[in-house]
Amino acid sequence: MSFVRRMMALVLLALPAWAQAESFVFTAIPDADESRLQQRFGKVADYLTEQLGVEVKYIPVKSYAAAITAFRNNQVQLAWFGGLSGVQARRLVPGSEALAQGYEDQFFKSYIIANTRTGLAPSDSLSDALKGKTFTFGSKGSTSGRLMPEFYLREHFGAAPEAIFGRVGFSGDHSRTIAQVQAGAYEVGAVNYAVWEKELEEGKIDPSKVTVIWTTPTYPDYQWTVRGDVDAHFGAGFKEKVRAALLEMKAPDLLASFPRQSFVPASNDDYGPIEATARAIGLLDD
Amino acid sequence: MISSDPLGAVYASRSSARVLNGVCVLLVGLAVLAIWGADLALYPVDPWQELDRIGQGLLLPRWDEPVVLLQAVGQTVAFALLAVAISVPLGLLLSMFFHRRMVRVLCASVRSVHELFWGLIFMQLYGLSATTGLLAILVPFTGVFAKVFAEMFEQQSRDPLLTLAPRLNSLKRHLYTDVPQAWPALVSYTRYRFECALRSSAILGFIGLPTLGFHLETAFKQGQYAEAGALLWAFLLLIASIRFWVRPRLIPVYLLLAVWLLPETAGFSNGGYFWQFISQDIWPVALREGDLSGALDWYGYMLSEQVWPGLVQTLLLTQIALVLTGVIILLAYPLATQSMAGTFMRWPGRFLLLVLRSTPEMMLAFVFMLLCGPSGLPAVMALALHNGGLIAFLVANASDAEYGSRLSRPDDPKGLLRYAYIETPRRFPAMLAFLFYRWEVILRESAIMGILGIATLGFYIDSAFEEIRYDRAFLLIAVTALLNVLVDSLSRRLRRLAQTEPSRQQEMSCLKME
């Protein structure tokens, strides 16, 4: 943007920004390690530029809510959403479509973790000893850190988390959840399994202080979602080109940004269970 | 001024010290009552591993990409500078009409919404863009400037008016009498607000603007404390060095640079969305469809499930934090003064206050949560330390401004006696006035403590945005604004009751940044 245009952005504060030369923009929030997003996803943008023949840009966002807003505003046309945020975004932008999901996302799961001082032991079912403990979810809009754990907790105990636990917090992030439960600030927490495995491997977790006590059944999670009007803007068949480019992304350093081993096709219907769950726990209105 | 207020008239006959004591006892009494109702549980924790990592990160900061850091610093300054440059003239303009209730209510309501929430609102309208960032700072700041400027003008002498031709219009009268008299106070207050704007600008990174907060939040969230340490140090340095780089003559250059530094806006074309947002998104579906009983159900649910419990928690926490802030000011300010800590020994004290007021409360709250578990306690401690650090800094400045002036005498006592019989009594009314100003701020800030599992109003607002339920967000924000208008008028009354309106001289010396 030239100096003059920036100046105008300032002068015309009251006017919404105007459409710019069309480039295809995407955003992504990985489930772990949000550092150096611009550099890491810049490479993905370069790859997509090469594959799609239009300029592709990446913009970093801070939260699922911001990603959904950007998607709705057409500030981004393609986004790597979590299960729940994808459902929310597709509800707001009619015609938008889930294109592909990570290989791991076909059978994603969450762990319920506990500080070892609670004496809670790993088990095949949720234990009644959880009642009255302090508990933290991850971010409020997270599928693995909030939605699915909350669903299974409600299903098992027949009550809202606030009624099951002595206190319910939202750490905002999976890494924070682990750190807080490990430090005993919260006794129990819900965490994305992939983040847990990664931090365990990196030695950030002390198994004598925090352990997994329960694993949720599997559910579909992260996916690429594209706006329905991209064919109109970028030419017929563009959506399919995007899908193909995503499925053919094989370079390990690109996939490591997400981190996923590969991408597989996905459709809106795959996320029916997520939508039903969100409705069941009152996160979505009809 | 006092006789126009019936309560004030009753108390005006008594000694000001008694009234002051009365107000303080009232505030402390309310706080003690609040402790009963508030959720201040203490949990056994084992935080040392995490605290050790945080400590190491702060002592051994590391940052590998100097360009990214410089860019973030530049954009933090750019947003703050431009927002202040726009909101000062707007505030001046509004301050001229501040005697109108409508203007006062408007200003109190825009002030009452936290910058982060303004950011989230404008993000719906302008996407992630420079416009969003600028508006998020300049809208609440305009409200603050209008209020404070109006109060400064109120305190000016009316005498110069007699020298003017009677037929001059009110704008000219204002420009020739109030503005020149209040000028030093206006300038020093603007300087002080610039520091606040830098903080706001940094914090806006938490929701995605490319300022220091963007990287700081990420690093802190991911437990990369060395990076977080580097960013925090950079921010402290930026704030501490304001007086070296903010030069009146350089400001035009800075402004041009700031415009150039504003981040690019990625394509954003959905201008028609503005109307949809204000006409549909922020109203409950039932209301839009004219379903009256459905709408009543919705409001009833919101009132009983979110508004009322949120309101109670917010008020309880705010009251305790307010009194604790006062305690921290009284403990901390002497450490940073020339008269009590000494010319050299005041620097560690000043550094402490710099750290307290510049570290985002959210981070303080996180550290305290590790120490005492999740409850209202870490929230109260974080709010009190942050705001206490800020006011103690202003109070210490006021003391330093007086040091060596004609008010000091050779037989003034030293040390504790000086603290108890000279400094504190002289600072107390102004300190209380600042505390009342910050009441609103504490109220706003208590909102962002969702990580602690304390359901304040802000917790529900944040949830509403996360769940893409703008109707709820709007209602809750409106309630917060209303609450703030009430607190604002209450604190105005209390100030009058305690006669703590700082005199012009006190105000000016308190706000002096040097």
Side-chain angles (χ1 to χ4, degrees):
Chain A
M1 202 156 62
S2 74
F3 183 77
V4 177
R5 290 189 78 165
R6 280 175 223 255
M7 205 58 200
M8 281 175 68
L10 194 66
V11 175
L12 301 177
L13 269 181
L15 297 176
W18 47 90
Q20 294 187 312
E22 297 235 354
S23 50
F24 185 66
V25 188
F26 78 98
T27 188
I29 310 178
D31 40 10
D33 189 10
E34 292 178 23
S35 59
R36 295 177 192 81
L37 289 177
Q38 194 71 55
Q39 290 88 320
R40 284 156 56 200
F41 286 100
K43 282 190 253 165
V44 177
D46 292 344
Y47 164 81
L48 288 176
T49 303
E50 203 177 289
Q51 297 288 311
L52 300 175
V54 295
E55 192 194 6
V56 180
K57 278 190 193 156
Y58 167 75
I59 57 170
V61 293
K62 271 283 176 193
S63 66
Y64 292 119
I68 294 168
T69 301
F71 188 75
R72 183 184 192 187
N73 288 337
N74 202 10
Q75 198 168 13
V76 302
Q77 291 80 41
L78 175 71
W80 173 245
F81 282 123
L84 173 62
S85 46
V87 167
Q88 287 170 320
R90 289 191 293 274
R91 269 163 55 103
L92 287 171
V93 184
S96 53
E97 204 179 307
L99 287 182
Q101 58 182 187
Y103 175 79
E104 294 88 335
D105 292 301
Q106 303 170 85
F107 19 80
F108 217 75
K109 58 196 175 187
S110 304
Y111 289 153
I112 302 291
I113 58 172
N115 191 289
T116 45
R117 284 189 304 174
T118 58
L120 292 165
S123 158
D124 287 340
S125 73
L126 286 163
S127 139
D128 275 355
L130 282 171
K131 285 184 184 165
K133 297 273 185 288
T134 57
F135 179 89
T136 185
F137 287 115
S139 130
K140 287 171 182 165
S142 164
T143 308
S144 53
R146 201 255 171 110
L147 178 74
M148 298 315 287
E150 178 168 346
F151 175 75
Y152 288 112
L153 286 167
R154 277 175 187 263
E155 193 182 55
H156 181 83
F157 291 102
E162 292 76 15
I164 306 169
F165 299 108
R167 181 184 299 280
V168 177
F170 291 90
S171 70
D173 182 81
H174 301 296
S175 302
R176 295 291 74 186
T177 303
I178 297 173
Q180 288 172 10
V181 175
Q182 178 156 292
Y186 280 97
E187 296 173 294
V188 185
V191 68
N192 172 317
Y193 89 99
V195 177
W196 171 272
E197 302 293 351
K198 180 167 173 280
E199 299 217 339
L200 196 63
E201 210 169 280
E202 290 168 354
K204 286 187 184 163
I205 294 172
D206 179 350
S208 73
K209 291 193 170 146
V210 54
T211 48
V212 175
I213 55 164
W214 189 67
T215 306
T216 64
T218 61
Y219 53 84
D221 203 349
Y222 289 78
Q223 88 294 148
W224 285 104
T225 293
V226 73
R227 283 180 64 97
D229 52 10
V230 286
D231 281 357
H233 287 290
F234 298 94
F238 188 78
K239 193 186 285 179
E240 287 314 311
K241 266 167 78 182
V242 174
R243 189 199 300 267
L246 293 172
L247 296 179
E248 280 158 25
M249 198 188 295
K250 300 280 189 246
D253 66 321
L254 297 184
L255 290 167
S257 300
F258 292 93
R260 293 293 182 266
Q261 62 166 282
S262 64
F263 292 113
V264 298
S267 73
N268 291 1
D269 294 340
D270 293 341
Y271 291 88
I274 295 284
E275 186 162 357
T277 309
R279 258 183 234 283
I281 69 169
L283 272 179
L284 283 181
D285 297 320
D286 297 310
Chain B
M1 184 171 80
I2 290 156
S3 59
S4 67
D5 185 335
L7 274 174
V10 172
Y11 283 92
S13 55
R14 303 197 193 167
S15 86
S16 66
R18 267 179 97 170
V19 179
L20 218 56
N21 284 340
V23 169
C24 289
V25 167
L26 181 74
L27 287 178
V28 174
L30 284 175
V32 171
L33 284 181
I35 289 179
W36 281 78
D39 167 10
L40 298 173
L42 201 66
Y43 293 89
V45 290
D46 174 22
W48 305 114
Q49 190 182 348
E50 194 73 10
L51 288 181
D52 178 47
R53 291 182 52 216
I54 294 178
Q56 280 191 17
L58 287 176
L59 291 177
L60 304 168
R62 207 172 62 102
W63 189 266
D64 300 333
E65 304 147 295
V67 181
V68 175
L69 185 65
L70 276 179
Q71 219 169 19
V73 170
Q75 290 181 340
T76 306
V77 178
F79 277 115
L81 198 67
L82 289 170
V84 170
I86 299 170
S87 57
V88 164
L90 287 176
L92 268 178
L93 191 72
L94 282 173
S95 73
M96 290 178 57
F97 303 99
F98 211 69
H99 51 277
R100 299 194 184 174
R101 178 177 288 266
M102 231 185 67
V103 174
R104 277 209 304 278
V105 170
L106 175 80
C107 289
S109 36
V110 294
R111 273 202 311 274
S112 62
V113 180
H114 196 279
E115 287 93 283
L116 277 182
F117 295 141
W118 275 123
L120 287 170
I121 294 173
F122 288 121
M123 204 187 283
Q124 309 308 320
L125 304 177
Y126 301 109
L128 256 183
S129 64
T131 314
T132 296
L134 280 173
L135 284 173
I137 306 176
L138 82 84
V139 167
F141 272 53
T142 301
V144 174
F145 278 127
K147 171 185 166 156
V148 174
F149 287 169
E151 280 169 2
M152 284 176 176
F153 290 138
E154 226 174 71
Q155 285 159 11
Q156 303 310 319
S157 160
R158 300 278 147 243
D159 296 346
L161 268 181
L162 300 173
T163 64
L164 296 182
R167 263 180 295 166
L168 280 183
N169 64 34
S170 58
L171 177 68
K172 281 184 183 154
R173 282 167 192 240
H174 186 63
L175 285 179
Y176 281 101
T177 61
D178 296 339
V179 175
Q181 287 191 88
W183 187 255
L186 297 181
V187 170
S188 59
Y189 187 72
T190 306
R191 270 170 168 238
Y192 160 67
R193 286 308 293 185
F194 176 60
E195 188 193 309
C196 301
L198 280 176
R199 271 195 293 273
S200 302
S201 168
I203 299 277
L204 280 172
F206 288 10
I207 56 164
L209 286 156
T211 58
L212 276 170
F214 187 96
H215 307 287
L216 185 58
E217 201 243 13
T218 300
F220 198 76
K221 215 163 73 172
Q222 313 279 328
Q224 293 152 345
Y225 295 121
E227 276 92 345
L231 291 156
L232 206 55
W233 282 111
F235 187 56
L236 289 180
L237 227 93
L238 183 69
I239 300 263
S241 62
I242 288 181
R243 59 170 152 167
F244 301 113
W245 54 268
V246 173
R247 298 273 171 215
R249 242 178 279 174
L250 288 177
I251 286 176
V253 181
Y254 285 148
L255 283 175
L256 287 177
L257 262 175
V259 175
W260 180 72
L261 272 173
L262 281 185
E264 286 184 31
T265 303
F268 177 81
S269 52
N270 200 351
Y273 182 56
F274 180 91
W275 182 240
Q276 192 197 334
F277 185 72
I278 54 173
S279 68
Q280 292 186 20
D281 292 1
I282 60 175
W283 307 106
V285 181
L287 192 70
R288 284 196 326 253
E289 287 171 354
D291 168 11
L292 208 61
S293 75
L296 281 178
D297 282 352
W298 188 87
Y299 282 107
Y301 168 83
M302 286 300 290
L303 201 68
S304 65
E305 297 298 315
Q306 303 202 346
V307 173
W308 179 248
L311 203 65
V312 171
Q313 280 302 323
T314 308
L315 284 175
L316 292 176
L317 282 187
T318 307
Q319 186 60 30
I320 302 172
L322 184 78
V323 170
L324 201 59
T325 305
V327 174
I328 285 172
I329 302 167
L330 288 175
L331 289 177
Y333 92 89
L335 303 177
T337 58
Q338 217 161 356
S339 60
M340 284 172 288
T343 311
F344 294 106
M345 282 317 290
R346 74 191 166 122
W347 289 107
R350 294 183 81 82
F351 176 72
L352 174 74
L353 298 185
L354 170 74
V355 171
L356 288 183
R357 69 177 195 269
S358 307
T359 311
E361 302 92 311
M362 226 125 62
M363 273 169 210
L364 292 175
F366 180 76
V367 171
F368 289 126
M369 178 169 75
L370 289 177
L371 281 169
C372 45
S375 75
L377 206 58
V380 166
M381 283 157 71
L383 290 170
L385 277 176
H386 176 77
N387 289 291
L390 184 79
I391 302 176
F393 163 76
L394 296 174
V395 173
N397 282 343
S399 163
D400 282 0
E402 209 178 275
Y403 187 69
S405 75
R406 61 197 161 80
L407 276 172
S408 61
R409 297 169 23 161
D411 60 346
D412 275 345
K414 302 252 177 285
L416 206 59
L417 283 178
R418 183 179 177 94
Y419 172 74
Y421 291 105
I422 297 203
E423 293 291 345
T424 304
R426 279 188 195 161
R427 309 296 148 234
F428 202 75
M431 184 203 106
L432 214 53
F434 282 119
L435 203 54
F436 285 136
Y437 281 134
R438 294 301 288 187
W439 194 353
E440 287 173 37
V441 180
I442 296 172
L443 182 77
R444 259 193 293 147
E445 287 168 347
S446 69
I448 47 177
M449 300 286 173
I451 50 162
L452 302 170
I454 309 166
T456 56
L457 280 174
F459 172 84
Y460 290 116
I461 298 177
D462 182 59
S463 300
F465 275 110
E466 280 288 321
E467 292 164 17
I468 325 286
R469 283 168 160 158
Y470 304 127
D471 46 356
R472 291 187 181 187
F474 180 71
L475 175 72
L476 291 162
I477 285 177
V479 171
T480 315
L482 197 67
L483 181 63
N484 213 62
V485 173
L486 288 176
V487 167
D488 182 46
S489 79
L490 184 67
S491 78
R492 228 171 134 95
R493 286 189 138 230
L494 279 179
R495 273 208 317 275
R496 295 216 166 142
L497 201 64
Q499 304 176 9
T500 57
E501 298 281 8
S503 70
R504 175 170 168 244
Q505 205 173 7
Q506 275 172 330
E507 176 110 11
M508 275 168 57
S509 54
C510 282
L511 294 171
K512 236 179 136 104
M513 292 292 294
E514 264 81 19

